[in-house]
């Protein structure tokens, strides 16, 4: 069970927001060279999900993935591979197979040359 959980949270996911609702859409990792610590979403899958969301009046508002046995902080690779400005990038630290800490960062900037992550507060409301 823990192995399945760790594998599941390694996959990167997207959220769609429709008013106050947030939905997640799982997608596969196309990285064959190092799938245990790198990920890539097939652009065709991302476009399909974006189109489906737009048909329902929904937008992509963020992505999430895990850092197994590493802090819930963005890495230089996370920043280099982030391209959705204004979106949240949520990272969960997984320690010994269990989710430990979750942090969120907004990708800001106007283009690739000045992009950066800014810490975001996470609020869970019932």
């Amino acid at each position: 069970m823990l192995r399945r959980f760790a594998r599941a949270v390694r996959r990167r996911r997207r959220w769609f927001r429709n008013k106050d609702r947030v939905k997640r859409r799982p997608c596969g990792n196309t990285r064959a060279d190092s799938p245990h610590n790198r990920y890539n979403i097939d652009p065709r899958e991302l476009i399909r999900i974006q189109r489906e969301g737009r048909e329902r009046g929904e937008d992509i508002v963020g992505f999430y993935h895990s850092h197994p046995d590493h802090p819930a902080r963005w890495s230089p690779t996370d920043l280099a591979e982030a391209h959705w400005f204004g979106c949240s990038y949520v990272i969960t630290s997984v320690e010994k197979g269990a989710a430990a800490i979750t942090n969120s960062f907004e990708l800001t900037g106007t283009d690739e040359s000045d992009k950066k992550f800014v810490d975001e507060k996470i609020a869970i409301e019932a």
Side-chain angles (χ1 to χ4, degrees), residues 5-6 20 25 34 61-62 82 95-96 99-100 105 110 113-115 123:
F5 173 76
D20 294 326
R25 297 286 184 242
S34 191
V61 297
E95 298 173 0
K96 297 178 183 171
F105 311 93
T110 56
S113 67
D114 72 344
K115 70 180 180 180

Side-chain angles (χ1 to χ4, degrees), residues 27-111:
C27 65
N29 182 358
T30 63
R31 288 290 294 261
D33 60 331
S34 191
H36 65 284
N37 64 358
R38 296 286 184 265
Y39 57 82
N40 182 65
I41 300 170
D42 184 325
R44 294 170 295 193
E45 184 175 14
L46 190 55
I47 290 168
R48 177 186 56 79
I49 291 169
Q50 187 177 30
R51 284 183 182 152
E52 289 171 1
R54 284 185 177 164
E55 289 173 4
R56 293 186 300 270
E58 300 167 338
D59 296 309
I60 294 175
V61 297
F63 301 85
Y64 78 87
H65 68 281
S66 67
H67 282 185
D69 300 315
H70 288 281
R73 299 290 307 167
W74 58 271
S75 68
T77 301
D78 291 328
L79 182 60
E81 295 182 356
H83 306 289
W84 287 68
F85 294 96
C87 281
S88 297
Y89 286 76
V90 178
I91 300 171
T92 297
S93 173
V94 177
E95 298 173 0
K96 297 178 183 171
I101 298 171
T102 299
N103 290 313
S104 184
F105 311 93
E106 179 185 0
L107 183 63
T108 64
T110 56
D111 61 30

Side-chain angles (χ1 to χ4, degrees), residues 4-13 64-66 94:
R4 265 191 216 151
F5 173 76
R7 207 175 296 137
V9 295
R10 280 190 195 124
R11 293 186 188 152
R12 192 165 190 174
R13 297 192 169 91
Y64 78 87
H65 68 281
S66 67
V94 177

